[in-house]
Amino acid sequence: MSKEKPTIPKGTRDFGPAVVVKRNYVFGVIKKTFEKFGYLPLETPAMEQLSVLTGKYGEEGDQLIFKILNSGDFLSKTKTEDIAEGHKHLTRKISEKALRYDLTVPFARFVVMNRNEITFPFKRYQIQPVWRADRPQRGRYREFYQCDADVVGTNSLLCEAEIVQMINEVLTELGLTDFTIKINHRGILAGIAEAIGEKGRESDICVAIDKLDKIGQEGVRKDLLERGISEAAVNRLEPFYTLQGSTAELLDQLQILLGETAEGQRGLQDLRDVWQYLSHLNSQALEAQIASGAPRLLLDVTLARGLSYYTGCIFEVKVNNVNMGSISGGGRYDNLTGMFGLPGVSGVGFSFGVDRIYDVLDELQLFPSSSQVGTKVLLVQFDKASELYALPVLQQLRDAGIAAELYPEPAKLKKQMGYADQKNIPYVILIGSEEMATGKLKLRNMQQGEQQDLTLEEIITKLS
RNA sequence: GUGGUUGUAGCUCAGUCGGUUAGAGCACCAGAUUGUGAUUCUGGGGGUCGUGGGUUCGAGCCCCAUCUUCCACCCCA
């Protein structure tokens, strides 16, 4: 026997029964909505070939992939010179598999592998854990669940509009009201880069302006100049930070600023189409406002998002007044399947971060009591005779659909009642010699502390 | 990956300048009460002070390493 205390790896967690029950409630709401919008479930392995994952998330992302050491003699393919060539080179020699980093890339891989069996447009949802070798923080774990819904094989912006609808529906059903769905478009970002005379430098520009709300205009200015963006370009960029007005007004202003650029024009047209779809869908997201009066669905030209495969609309969802990163994000990717040899299949999707949503709901105390399922009634026994008497009663309660359990030994009443109390079981049935003689069982309401003598039929009626 | 922070009973936390046998509340167990939980009263168990080294006559406290937690970067769900 080892004497060391057992631990779990950094950034991972055990979930006790009470937590799992509440997490399942969140999963249930999400699943129901996905299915309502025509998405069907898919599952893929926890591990993928390392080559499938590398290069899809940018350089930063590659470093955050958990690699799996080859089995057996993992050094068999290496030579002493390989070590000298550095860890990147060595990794390819000793690791061929990795834990999935997100659900979108495995999905694209699945689509390519099953292209002949799939009918397009193909809509799937996927609820599985992913792993990232990040440094843990509040709301940031190394193992966490994503709930993805993606559709591939269509360019229609109806999909983008439906993503907004699904986000709005799920979060609303979970009891959240003060949240912002941010939307932007890679074309807008590219258009901005072109319009300020720094075409092709959009990744540097994105990284910088994404931090606008954190480090302010001066901080971004400094950052951009350090990245080698010309001062003239930075000066032309700054008007974009302060665009004001309704979404329609924003689009009009952007039209003037970006209309000449092909990419900007593409982005603006896409966004206009999305808004039009939402408008015809009578989307609540268009009407709802957050506390500050800003619209719930917010066109935010400073929203960037790092995942490198996005090419069209991009989304991010923030719950306001809670110290938590985004709880949902996604976007359109035109060439993900192309990386696996199937070009011309555009996809769009998004993901809910259940772990963060859980933390938010917990903090805001939004878990309804109905989400906490459990035993409805506990049968208390005194001796062998009462145990035998209780067994058919137990079965009849269960047959009636009532969650019931019999305390499995004739422990002291205090202990059995204490068990019911701790498990928050609302009713207890006492079966002693008196009850067995009369057939009237003692039903105790644990919340009110009242009890009455009832037949089993009366109890079933009362508890159903 | 960079810089910082945290760790003492099951939980939340005290613990003075480095000084005798490390405390409290809650929780737990037992009894008051042999057919009644949550409320009341009485008593009880529970600690290698995250782990491993070091300094010191002496370390929960100081130093180093490591693990963990949280925070700021980076990035993200």
Side-chain angles (χ1 to χ4, degrees), chain A residues 28 32 106 252 447:
Chain A
K32 194 180 76 191
D252 288 343
Q447 267 115 54

Side-chain angles (χ1 to χ4, degrees), chain A residues 27-276:
Chain A
F27 286 131
V29 170
I30 292 171
K31 222 170 129 170
K32 194 180 76 191
T33 299
F34 284 170
E35 290 180 353
K36 208 199 296 187
F37 279 75
Y39 291 78
L40 290 171
L42 174 74
E43 293 191 22
T44 64
M47 58 183 126
E48 291 281 345
Q49 305 292 10
L50 180 55
S51 57
V52 166
L53 303 184
T54 47
K56 309 299 186 298
Y57 311 107
E59 208 160 314
E60 290 280 349
D62 280 358
Q63 292 185 321
L64 299 180
I65 295 171
F66 269 110
K67 284 105 186 164
I68 297 171
L69 199 56
N70 289 344
S71 313
D73 181 8
F74 56 86
L75 288 178
S76 61
K77 291 177 190 166
T78 62
K79 299 173 188 159
T80 48
E81 306 93 85
D82 291 328
I83 296 172
E85 285 201 49
H87 73 278
K88 275 190 174 174
H89 171 82
L90 191 63
T91 299
R92 289 198 294 272
K93 301 268 177 179
I94 62 176
S95 171
E96 288 160 2
K97 297 177 291 297
L99 295 176
R100 60 167 169 260
Y101 178 90
D102 72 353
L103 301 177
T104 308
V105 169
F107 170 56
R109 192 265 308 147
F110 174 88
V111 168
V112 173
M113 285 180 67
N114 296 277
R115 62 181 100 175
N116 295 324
E117 285 75 50
I118 289 172
T119 325
F120 295 99
F122 181 56
K123 299 169 98 173
R124 81 88 175 80
Y125 73 85
Q126 190 168 351
I127 299 179
Q128 288 188 281
V130 302
W131 294 269
R132 295 185 186 176
D134 223 340
R135 193 173 286 204
Q137 252 179 70
R138 175 186 172 83
R140 169 178 297 188
Y141 307 100
R142 298 184 118 179
E143 177 183 63
F144 61 97
Y145 270 75
Q146 287 195 328
C147 304
D148 267 46
D150 287 77
V151 47
V152 294
T154 171
N155 293 307
S156 170
L157 291 151
L158 173 60
C159 303
E160 275 84 340
E162 288 196 336
I163 284 173
V164 172
Q165 292 293 78
M166 286 191 281
I167 292 171
N168 194 68
E169 176 169 318
V170 166
L171 299 186
T172 300
E173 185 155 349
L174 289 173
L176 291 166
T177 51
D178 191 11
F179 59 90
T180 300
I181 304 171
K182 292 185 190 177
I183 184 168
N184 194 14
H185 196 286
R186 273 287 159 90
I188 301 267
L189 293 163
I192 289 175
E194 189 179 343
I196 64 170
E198 293 283 357
K199 192 175 180 181
R201 299 295 307 279
E202 68 214 61
S203 72
D204 276 323
I205 295 168
C206 287
V207 171
I209 64 175
D210 191 40
K211 289 186 265 186
L212 187 62
D213 52 345
K214 218 178 249 178
I215 60 178
Q217 190 167 327
E218 278 310 303
V220 172
R221 184 182 184 87
K222 204 176 142 215
D223 197 4
L224 285 164
L225 292 173
E226 276 170 15
R227 288 169 188 272
I229 305 296
S230 76
E231 196 167 351
V234 175
N235 288 337
R236 296 177 70 182
L237 176 64
E238 286 176 346
F240 286 95
Y241 305 164
T242 50
L243 297 175
Q244 300 258 321
S246 68
T247 304
E249 288 163 354
L250 284 179
L251 288 168
D252 288 343
Q253 292 175 62
L254 287 167
Q255 183 64 43
I256 295 165
L257 293 162
L258 305 176
E260 301 301 310
T261 68
E263 278 293 282
Q265 187 53 46
R266 176 174 75 93
L268 288 170
Q269 192 53 54
D270 280 1
L271 290 173
R272 284 208 164 90
D273 287 356
V274 171
W275 252 267
Q276 197 180 8

Side-chain angles (χ1 to χ4, degrees), chain A residues 365-394:
Chain A
Q365 299 181 356
L366 288 175
F367 281 109
S369 54
S370 60
S371 71
Q372 283 143 55
V373 300
T375 303
K376 187 97 178 261
V377 58
L378 176 78
L379 303 189
V380 162
Q381 61 162 309
F382 294 90
D383 48 33
K384 198 69 197 170
S386 79
E387 182 188 35
L388 288 174
Y389 188 96
L391 289 173
V393 175
L394 177 66

